[in-house]
């Protein structure tokens, strides 16, 4: 199977869906001639032209608002936001329009819209290094996807484009160069299906996006000491598939949730609450959470890097849990 980057896998999904369905179009800042801020759409403008690859003004509320209208009119727009930080100025269009139109109009209107946007650190400090997946996963009417591998990114994006519901498709900026196996042929992946990325027996680590890779690296190091971690990738944050997590808890009786966002009111809090409610009697120790230090992101890159759990701190936490 071919090795492809996360970026190329996403581009393949976009191209294949545009070839399959003439109603699919891409819109966003510099997505055309320039090929997008992270070069994800590079080359598509030359193939599909300016009727289906639309450069927009720097106005996220206009990008999403226009995409919502296009979706209601029968098209399948993929709106690219330069970073998830800029989704803040389009929250009304995302939360009050895209997410609610289907319910508010008695199911007479649908919004088959995908909003692609990179998140995470490695960018520019407090206002440009954020990760708001929990905010969007809070909203009924939205589907929230946050893939960690090229294979998952391609399969889930194709599903998102074919969905009749609005999808927040969140890509971590530091994963674009990550390589993985991606088949050349047609495939899609369903929403709401978590994936066991590494089997284990001693501790369950639940994660997604970039932190999935931190979890896997920590698990490899812990295996050298005889501690086997089961690593579960949520892939879709709304709907949330807890079945593999519950099955794992029945084996390990210990759970660590690893996320890149702030932990207060985050995805980890939601997952911990569900485990505590549904599998409380199976736990040998309290559910643990690790995430970003809860202060605005510093500008200096060395300080920025200290904000997050790394392989060493994750391994230390796991050893404390099994002691």
């Amino acid at each position: 199977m071919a090795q492809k980057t996360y970026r190329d896998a996403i581009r393949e999904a976009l191209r294949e869906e545009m070839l399959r369905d003439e109603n699919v179009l891409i819109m966003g800042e510099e997505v055309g001639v320039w090929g997008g801020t992270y070069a994800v759409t590079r080359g598509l403008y030359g193939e599909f032209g300016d009727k289906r690859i639309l450069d927009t003004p720097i106005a996220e509320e206009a990008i999403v608002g226009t995409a919502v209208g296009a979706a209601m009119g029968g098209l399948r727009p993929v709106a690219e936001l330069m970073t998830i930080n800029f989704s803040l100025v389009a929250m009304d269009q995302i939360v009050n329009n895209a997410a609610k139109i289907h319910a508010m109009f008695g199911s007479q209107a649908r919004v088959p819209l995908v909003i692609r946007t990179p998140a995470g650190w490695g960018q520019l400090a407090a206002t440009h290094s954020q990760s708001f997946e929990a905010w969007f996963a809070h909203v009924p009417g939205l589907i929230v996807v946050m893939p960690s591998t090229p294979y998952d990114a391609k399969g889930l994006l194709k599903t998102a484009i074919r969905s009749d519901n609005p999808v927040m498709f969140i890509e971590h900026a530091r994963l674009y160069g990550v390589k993985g196996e991606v088949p050349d042929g047609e495939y899609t992946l369903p929403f709401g299906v978590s994936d066991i990325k590494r089997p284990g027996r001693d501790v369950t680590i639940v994660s997604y996006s970039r932190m999935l890779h931190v979890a896997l690296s920590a698990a490899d190091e812990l295996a050298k000491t005889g501690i086997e971690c089961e690593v579960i990738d949520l892939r879709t944050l709304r709907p949330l598939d807890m079945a593999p997590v519950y099955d794992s808890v029945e084996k390990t009786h210990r759970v660590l949730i690893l996320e890149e966002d702030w932990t207060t009111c985050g995805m980890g809090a939601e997952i911990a609450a569900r485990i505590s409610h549904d599998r409380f009697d199976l736990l040998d120790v309290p559910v643990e959470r690790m995430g970003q230090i809860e202060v605005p992101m510093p500008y200096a890159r060395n300080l920025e890097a200290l904000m997050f759990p790394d392989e060493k701190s994750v391994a230390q936490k796991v050893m404390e849990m099994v002691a």
Side-chain angles (χ1 to χ4, degrees), residues 93 101 105 123 164 181 204 224 244 268 279 301 306:
Q93 287 74 21
I101 281 172
F105 289 90
Q123 298 175 306
D164 287 332
E181 292 185 340
T204 302
K224 298 174 184 176
R279 294 296 187 273
R301 280 191 176 272
L306 295 174

Coordinates of all heavy atoms in Angstrom, one line a residue, residues 93 101 105 123 164 181 204 224 244 268 279 301 306:
Q93 N -22.7 31.8 12.1 CA -23.1 31.1 10.9 C -22.9 29.6 11.1 O -23.7 28.8 10.6 CB -22.1 31.5 9.7 CG -22.4 32.8 9.1 CD -22.0 34.0 10.0 OE1 -21.1 33.8 10.9 NE2 -22.5 35.2 9.8
I101 N -30.5 24.7 11.0 CA -31.4 25.0 10.0 C -32.3 23.7 9.7 O -33.5 23.8 9.6 CB -30.7 25.4 8.7 CG1 -30.4 26.9 8.8 CG2 -31.6 25.1 7.4 CD1 -29.5 27.4 7.7
F105 N -36.4 24.2 10.4 CA -37.3 24.3 9.3 C -38.0 22.9 9.1 O -38.4 22.6 8.0 CB -36.6 24.7 8.0 CG -36.2 26.1 8.0 CD1 -35.0 26.5 8.5 CD2 -37.1 27.1 7.6 CE1 -34.6 27.9 8.6 CE2 -36.7 28.5 7.6 CZ -35.5 28.9 8.1
Q123 N 2.0 27.5 15.7 CA 1.6 28.6 14.8 C 2.0 29.9 15.4 O 3.2 30.2 15.5 CB 0.1 28.5 14.6 CG -0.3 27.2 13.8 CD -1.8 27.1 13.7 OE1 -2.5 27.1 14.7 NE2 -2.2 26.8 12.5
D164 N -25.3 14.6 4.4 CA -26.3 15.6 4.3 C -26.3 16.6 5.5 O -27.2 17.5 5.6 CB -27.7 15.0 4.1 CG -27.9 14.4 2.7 OD1 -27.2 14.9 1.8 OD2 -28.7 13.4 2.6
E181 N 0.0 4.7 5.4 CA -0.6 3.9 4.3 C -1.9 4.4 3.9 O -2.8 4.5 4.8 CB -0.6 2.4 4.7 CG 0.8 1.8 4.9 CD 0.7 0.3 5.2 OE1 -0.4 -0.2 5.6 OE2 1.7 -0.4 5.0
T204 N -5.8 1.8 29.5 CA -6.4 2.3 28.3 C -6.1 3.8 28.1 O -6.3 4.6 29.0 CB -7.9 2.2 28.4 OG1 -8.3 0.8 28.6 CG2 -8.6 2.7 27.1
K224 N 8.5 -1.5 26.8 CA 9.9 -2.0 27.1 C 10.0 -2.3 28.6 O 10.9 -3.0 29.0 CB 10.9 -1.0 26.7 CG 10.9 -0.7 25.2 CD 11.9 0.5 24.9 CE 11.8 0.9 23.4 NZ 12.6 2.1 23.1
P244 N -15.7 0.8 22.1 CA -14.4 0.3 22.3 C -13.7 0.7 23.6 O -12.9 0.0 24.1 CB -13.6 0.8 21.0 CG -14.7 1.1 20.1 CD -15.9 1.6 20.9
G268 N -12.1 15.4 27.3 CA -11.7 14.4 28.3 C -12.7 14.4 29.5 O -13.0 13.4 30.1
R279 N -19.3 2.6 33.6 CA -18.4 1.5 34.0 C -17.7 1.8 35.3 O -16.5 1.4 35.5 CB -17.3 1.4 32.9 CG -17.9 0.9 31.5 CD -18.5 -0.5 31.6 NE -18.9 -1.0 30.3 CZ -20.1 -0.8 29.8 NH1 -21.0 -0.1 30.4 NH2 -20.3 -1.3 28.6
R301 N 8.6 29.9 21.2 CA 8.3 28.5 20.8 C 8.8 27.5 21.9 O 8.2 26.4 22.1 CB 9.0 28.2 19.5 CG 8.3 28.6 18.3 CD 8.8 28.1 17.0 NE 8.0 28.5 15.8 CZ 7.0 27.8 15.4 NH1 6.6 26.7 16.0 NH2 6.3 28.2 14.3
L306 N 6.3 23.6 26.0 CA 6.2 23.1 27.3 C 4.7 23.0 27.7 O 4.4 22.5 28.8 CB 6.9 24.0 28.3 CG 8.4 24.0 28.1 CD1 9.1 25.0 29.1 CD2 9.0 22.6 28.4

